[in-house]
Amino acid sequence: MNIQRRNNNGLPMLSIILLALLGVPRVIAHDLQWVDPHGIINRLLVFIPPIVWILYVLGKRHHVQYPFLPLMAIGAVYGLFLGITHQLLWNMAFETPPALGGNLADLPAAANSFLTRTFAFISSIVTGTVVGSVCGIAATLLHTLVKGKLRG
């Protein structure tokens, strides 16, 4: 597989991976509690990567005619990185690992860990894909507005 070759969404896989990696510093800073979750640094780490994604994809309008799919792909890969990073930093992020409650409270520790980690990983992929989709919707609207103004 050639990661430089353009895929169906108009971007090389390498570009998708590199753009998705822009979100990883926030994950690390959050999990290691290096930044205040309500502070300006955290907000910059949250919003700058998706803005860069949108600007990059819109800047590639000769190769990307429909920005939704490449941005959703970037978000999905970001979600994968988010999940992997959370798993790697799991023991540092939690003083006491999350535990299931209710009917599942009496599960063995290994089963509890497996379930919480699995659902956290799936949640990360869903979160990244949703972020990418929201960026894709915003970029599609911007793309349509700019295209309309250029024609009009």
Side-chain angles (χ1 to χ4, degrees), residues 10 12 14 41 65 68 71 89-90 96 116 118-119 132 144:
L14 182 59
I41 302 296
Q65 294 184 12
F68 182 81
L71 284 159
L89 299 176
W90 190 272
T96 305
T116 55
T118 299
F119 280 100
T144 303

Side-chain angles (χ1 to χ4, degrees), residues 27 91 134-135:
V27 181
N91 292 329
V134 169
C135 289

Side-chain angles (χ1 to χ4, degrees), residues 26 29-30 35-51:
R26 189 215 57 87
H30 175 267
V35 294
D36 174 9
H38 304 291
I40 187 72
I41 302 296
N42 187 60
R43 288 190 181 135
L44 291 172
L45 291 171
V46 166
F47 291 110
I48 288 176
I51 291 169

Side-chain angles (χ1 to χ4, degrees), residues 120-134:
F121 188 77
I122 292 168
S123 173
S124 295
I125 293 172
V126 170
T127 297
T129 305
V130 168
V131 169
S133 297
V134 169

Side-chain angles (χ1 to χ4, degrees), residues 23-66:
V24 173
R26 189 215 57 87
V27 181
I28 295 169
H30 175 267
D31 282 4
L32 298 179
Q33 300 172 3
W34 289 349
V35 294
D36 174 9
H38 304 291
I40 187 72
I41 302 296
N42 187 60
R43 288 190 181 135
L44 291 172
L45 291 171
V46 166
F47 291 110
I48 288 176
I51 291 169
V52 171
W53 300 349
I54 291 169
L55 293 174
Y56 182 84
V57 169
L58 290 177
K60 295 288 183 180
R61 68 179 170 264
H62 298 294
H63 298 293
V64 179
Q65 294 184 12
Y66 304 102

